[in-house]
Amino acid sequence: MVRIEEVIIVEGKYDKNTLRQVVDAVILETSGFGIFHDKEKRKLFQKLAEQRGLILLTDSDGAGFVIRNYLKGILPPDKLKQAYIPDLYGKEKRKNSPSKEGKLGVEGMRPEILLEALRRAGAHFIGEDENRAGSEEITKADLYRLGLSGGEGSRQKRLTLLKRLELPERLSSDAMLDVLNALMSREDFFNLCLETLPDREGPARPEEVRSGTDL
């Protein structure tokens, strides 16, 4: 079992129980929408964010994104990391029927999927050297020039890329940018776009785009 430095926030006890079998970390619950009315828990999350850093790991359905976006609004952004599970359809064993959107939640994810989601978020795995300092980041200008934002058909291209990366379809372009930078180098990103978006417009290589020069 791997140890993670940051505190992980999930929606409920079943998510927590599943994650506890995968990682050794402090794992706290929002109690679903209960966090909206729990002032003391919000204060605790804010304190832990400052001390340890937080990772949000909610379900990929609409409710999960409502909770995620609420917490993003009250927690310090520089102390917050976003972990996303893919859109996988099915039913958890304990439930009689699937969720409203038919998607599996955190509790229904396999251990390797949860670990990958945490790695993509940039979680600090204690004892592992994952330092990527000095690497050039993917920028909003890159997304624009590659047709992934701000243009005709950009949403569909983002969906294609998100599906390839097994990320939830509800991810905005800004959130996708954070995940991409946690997941890969700028060069790897361009190579992925060449493979995934053969009809994309814009430069073919990262050296052909200098950050911010075209916006």
Side-chain angles (χ1 to χ4, degrees):
M1 184 176 295
V2 297
R3 296 176 61 205
I4 290 180
E5 180 177 340
E6 295 90 348
V7 175
I8 304 173
I9 305 298
V10 296
E11 293 182 49
K13 64 179 182 180
Y14 294 104
D15 302 327
K16 183 176 180 178
N17 291 341
T18 296
L19 199 55
R20 270 183 165 174
Q21 300 175 45
V22 180
V23 298
D24 178 4
V26 177
I27 306 170
L28 300 177
E29 308 164 31
T30 69
S31 299
F33 291 147
I35 189 63
F36 299 163
H37 312 289
D38 194 333
K39 185 177 180 180
E40 294 303 314
K41 184 172 286 188
R42 294 198 301 269
K43 285 185 177 180
L44 173 62
F45 286 2
Q46 289 165 341
K47 182 177 181 179
L48 289 172
E50 294 291 347
Q51 293 179 343
R52 295 273 298 273
L54 295 182
I55 298 175
L56 294 185
L57 179 61
T58 64
D59 294 349
S60 62
D61 60 5
F65 271 79
V66 169
I67 295 169
R68 183 187 295 275
N69 289 331
Y70 175 76
L71 291 175
K72 283 171 63 178
I74 65 170
L75 296 171
D78 59 325
K79 302 292 184 179
L80 192 61
K81 297 176 180 178
Q82 304 286 342
Y84 300 96
I85 58 173
D87 287 328
L88 296 179
Y89 293 85
K91 180 183 70 67
E92 285 84 2
K93 292 181 179 179
R94 71 177 179 87
K95 295 181 179 179
N96 294 324
S97 59
S99 65
K100 182 178 180 180
E101 295 183 24
K103 297 177 182 179
L104 290 172
V106 169
E107 67 168 292
M109 294 292 118
R110 299 192 305 275
E112 59 269 24
I113 293 178
L114 292 173
L115 281 175
E116 180 65 13
L118 293 168
R119 288 189 187 279
R120 290 179 172 189
H124 178 210
F125 285 73
I126 298 174
E128 294 186 16
D129 181 14
E130 297 183 335
N131 183 20
R132 291 181 51 178
S135 62
E136 191 174 4
E137 288 194 342
I138 305 161
T139 67
K140 288 186 178 181
D142 294 334
L143 298 186
Y144 178 79
R145 290 293 301 273
L146 290 169
L148 290 163
S149 68
E152 185 179 352
S154 59
R155 182 179 183 277
Q156 185 56 51
K157 290 181 179 180
R158 284 200 308 275
L159 290 176
T160 299
L161 192 63
L162 290 171
K163 185 176 181 180
R164 169 69 182 273
L165 292 171
E166 296 186 332
L167 291 169
E169 62 186 14
R170 290 178 180 270
L171 224 56
S172 67
S173 56
D174 285 344
M176 184 178 73
L177 186 64
D178 291 337
V179 174
L180 289 171
N181 275 309
L183 178 61
M184 64 186 69
S185 68
R186 190 165 180 259
E187 183 176 359
D188 287 342
F189 167 66
F190 272 75
N191 288 334
L192 178 65
C193 286
L194 283 172
E195 297 173 3
T196 308
L197 308 171
D199 61 336
R200 61 101 189 97
E201 298 177 358
R205 295 292 173 187
E207 59 269 19
E208 296 176 37
V209 177
R210 305 320 306 169
S211 299
T213 56
D214 299 289
L215 294 181

